[in-house]
Amino acid sequence: MKKFTAFLLFICLFAHLTNAQRRSPAPSRETGYDKPASVSVRVGPTLLFGDLKESRSAWTAGAQLTLPVSRMLSVGLAGDLGRLRGEESAFYHARSDCRFGQGTLVGMLDLLQLGKEKARLSEFNLYGGVGLILFNAKAYDLTTDQLLRLTNNENSFRSRDGIEQRGRRGIRNTHELSVPVGVRFSSPLSRRLSVTGDIRYTFVRTDKLDATLDNNNLTLKDGRAQTEQILYSQNTHDRFGALSVGVVYYFGERQKND
């Protein structure tokens, strides 16, 4: 998780530098709208959609630095930490626990500004992005709580295609591509502060978020860590959803036409 911690520190440092906008004079109301850079924090439950189909809620928390490109368009750097859980009794008879960290580059489109001459302080953003998720997942027997499968231990390794071993063994966290999409609504509390609600769905290039592969109920008794075993394209990729609430702080007073 050291790389992910460094990523969060980068967000905090960038936010501190962006805070210099506070010193700039307030924009004229004749310009119509000023949307400063902002930093947000969020927290909420997650749901895993994998082979263990009986999802169990877990929690995630994150932060995002957002920079405006225009009145409608913004870009952001987001970081999240959390857990994902699932279980299935009929075939796998197992439960899973996954701890993850994720860093994402996000693009946001504010639909409330579409076709409006007078801007609003409220926002309704559609967003999507691409990022890197680091995770470590384990699967346990529902009855005995015995460890059945895991994604990372002293035998784990990196792979570009899901099969071929690359580099050294002993990778602590699996690294995979992630693609989050979602919507976020923001309601102003003041010209510098808003409360938000966020719904997002994340696609991940792996079938291992629940430490379980498609129709594969094998227990790794030799201590080897879980691999995809077949090409990435031949596995059903796992996904997860999150519902979050949070607050947004703007590094300057937002203005709008009266």
Side-chain angles (χ1 to χ4, degrees), residues 1 4-5 8 42 44 46 59-63 79-83 99-102 134 200:
M1 291 291 181
F4 185 74
T5 302
L8 288 180
R42 58 178 178 252
T46 60
W59 290 87
T60 183
D80 295 275
L81 292 171
R83 299 178 74 174
R99 298 175 184 269
F100 74 92
Q102 181 176 235
L134 288 68
R200 63 188 179 280

Side-chain angles (χ1 to χ4, degrees), residues 173-195:
N173 293 284
T174 299
H175 298 54
E176 293 294 354
L177 179 72
S178 61
V179 179
V181 294
V183 296
R184 188 178 84 171
F185 177 75
S186 301
S187 180
L189 298 176
S190 69
R191 292 191 182 273
R192 285 183 181 263
L193 196 66
S194 288
V195 61

Side-chain angles (χ1 to χ4, degrees), residues 47-154:
L47 284 178
L48 173 62
F49 303 98
D51 297 289
L52 305 185
K53 300 183 183 301
E54 300 169 18
S55 296
R56 302 170 59 198
S57 64
W59 290 87
T60 183
Q64 179 171 318
L65 174 68
T66 304
L67 302 175
V69 176
S70 66
R71 193 175 74 174
M72 291 182 57
L73 183 64
S74 300
V75 295
L77 285 173
D80 295 275
L81 292 171
R83 299 178 74 174
L84 301 168
R85 291 175 174 169
E87 69 176 55
E88 203 268 348
S89 56
F91 177 71
Y92 296 103
H93 196 70
R95 66 174 180 86
S96 66
D97 189 2
C98 173
R99 298 175 184 269
F100 74 92
Q102 181 176 235
T104 312
L105 178 64
V106 181
M108 306 176 69
L109 181 66
D110 186 0
L111 297 184
L112 291 187
Q113 311 302 336
L114 185 64
K116 298 290 184 180
E117 295 183 2
K118 294 185 177 181
R120 303 180 179 183
L121 298 184
S122 297
E123 299 177 20
F124 185 79
N125 286 287
L126 296 181
Y127 67 84
V130 62
L132 184 70
I133 186 170
L134 288 68
F135 68 91
N136 188 309
K138 297 179 181 179
Y140 302 87
D141 186 273
L142 274 179
T143 303
T144 66
D145 215 33
Q146 176 187 356
L147 178 64
L148 301 177
R149 296 176 291 275
L150 72 168
T151 57
N152 299 87
N153 64 6
E154 66 277 4

Side-chain angles (χ1 to χ4, degrees), residues 17-36:
L17 295 176
T18 308
N19 196 29
Q21 291 191 22
R22 291 182 181 181
R23 303 186 183 94
S24 60
S28 169
R29 293 179 182 268
E30 296 179 356
T31 63
Y33 188 71
D34 177 71
K35 189 175 184 179

